[in-house]
Amino acid sequence: MECAILTIGLSGELLSYLKKAVVPYKLYFVAPSTVQDANRLVCHQVFHLIIVDLEFLRISQQAAWLAGIRRNTFAPIIVLSELPEKDTNRMIQIGADICISVQCPCSVIADLAYAQLRRYTEYNHYKNLDEVGTSAFQSGDIFIDPDRRIVEVRGQSVSLRPREFSLLLYFMQNPNIVLTAEQICEHAWEMEGSYNQGVSGPVALLRKAIEPDTANPRYIETIPRIGYRFTAYRDETCDDCSGSVGVL
């Protein structure tokens, strides 16, 4: 499994160095050109590390975006700042893990990136990166913590039976992908063969637990004669995440 890193505003030199330097992991870098694109990615994809240039956000008048990022991801966040002595306290308060000078050598930033990835995997007792996808994460309105068997929908705790819990986890790990009954049986429940008659029941129970209106589901869409597709819907759109906070 590749380790996904989201970067915003990094220089080409630093990005190139990181790709070569963090060698213990197989890295997959995503570098959206706008904060709006970053919002959509964070809402629909699991990332294992986020590295942000704070000055880039400020120039784009999007610095407040950082204050809403923890609504959608628990990935470690490294913030690069021109004045870390001024910005560190605020960055830590809103959820960043490290705030350092953007003038630090590329090698230092690469070492910190490696340290954060190591903490996110080995120090959280994951044996390898294939297990990171089962760490706690949020997709749209829904938060899931597989280790503690916790599910929250729109901030409210939801109780699920083991089969529905495994089904939701599989859906959330594969957003916007049409999944067949056979795929659900094999990957969510580790069952072989067709199980078409047994999939619709757990899906109905899961919808009853998480959907505001089961007659008009917003999270789990039925694709006729094929299967189901999970959508990471949020009542408050991702582009509005920063609307309620002040400029940093």
Side-chain angles (χ1 to χ4, degrees):
M1 175 182 174
E2 292 181 316
C3 188
I5 299 179
L6 178 72
T7 68
I8 303 177
L10 270 60
S11 68
E13 176 188 4
L14 175 56
L15 191 57
S16 177
Y17 189 92
L18 289 172
K19 291 179 180 179
K20 298 175 182 178
V22 190
V23 292
Y25 298 103
K26 184 178 181 182
L27 304 181
Y28 168 62
F29 283 83
V30 180
S33 58
T34 68
V35 172
Q36 288 73 24
D37 288 340
N39 283 339
R40 286 187 283 271
L41 287 165
V42 171
C43 286
H44 296 90
Q45 181 177 343
V46 175
F47 287 97
H48 309 111
L49 178 65
I50 298 174
I51 308 176
V52 181
D53 187 322
L54 183 57
E55 306 311 316
F56 174 85
L57 294 183
R58 284 173 169 156
I59 291 172
S60 306
Q61 298 183 335
Q62 296 288 344
W65 173 76
L66 281 168
I69 193 65
R70 284 302 181 212
R71 300 181 187 182
N72 295 291
T73 180
F74 288 94
I77 298 175
I78 298 175
V79 174
L80 307 180
S81 168
E82 290 186 357
L83 296 171
E85 65 276 10
K86 176 182 177 181
D87 294 322
T88 295
N89 181 263
R90 176 59 176 156
M91 292 299 99
I92 298 300
Q93 286 183 3
I94 65 176
D97 296 273
I98 295 175
C99 180
I100 63 169
S101 173
V102 71
Q103 303 300 327
C104 281
C106 293
S107 59
V108 172
I109 298 174
D111 286 342
L112 290 173
Y114 167 68
Q116 290 299 308
L117 287 171
R118 180 178 60 188
R119 179 181 64 80
Y120 196 51
T121 55
E122 298 171 28
Y123 293 173
N124 283 337
H125 308 294
Y126 299 108
K127 295 179 182 179
N128 54 61
L129 284 177
D130 291 333
E131 298 180 356
V132 176
T134 60
S135 60
F137 68 100
Q138 181 145 348
S139 184
D141 286 336
I142 305 176
F143 167 83
I144 190 166
D145 184 338
D147 285 343
R148 295 186 295 164
R149 312 295 290 185
I150 292 174
V151 173
E152 294 179 358
V153 181
R154 299 178 298 280
Q156 301 298 314
S157 178
V158 173
S159 179
L160 297 176
R161 299 188 311 177
R163 174 160 290 182
E164 285 71 58
F165 187 96
S166 298
L167 177 60
L168 176 61
L169 177 61
Y170 182 55
F171 276 143
M172 291 178 67
Q173 290 173 326
N174 296 275
N176 304 312
I177 298 174
V178 178
L179 303 170
T180 66
E182 287 75 15
Q183 288 174 310
I184 292 172
C185 291
E186 179 180 355
H187 299 291
W189 302 322
E190 298 182 353
M191 298 178 63
E192 295 182 357
S194 177
Y195 194 65
N196 289 283
Q197 298 301 316
V199 171
S200 59
V203 168
L205 289 173
L206 180 57
R207 280 177 170 157
K208 185 177 180 180
I210 69 173
E211 296 281 3
D213 180 1
T214 55
N216 299 285
R218 64 174 57 164
Y219 305 115
I220 304 171
E221 176 187 5
T222 298
I223 308 301
R225 297 184 296 278
I226 300 178
Y228 302 91
R229 176 167 53 206
F230 175 81
T231 300
Y233 178 89
R234 280 208 306 147
D235 283 331
E236 181 183 12
T237 62
C238 291
D239 288 341
D240 292 335
C241 284
S242 63
S244 61
V245 294
V247 176
L248 301 176

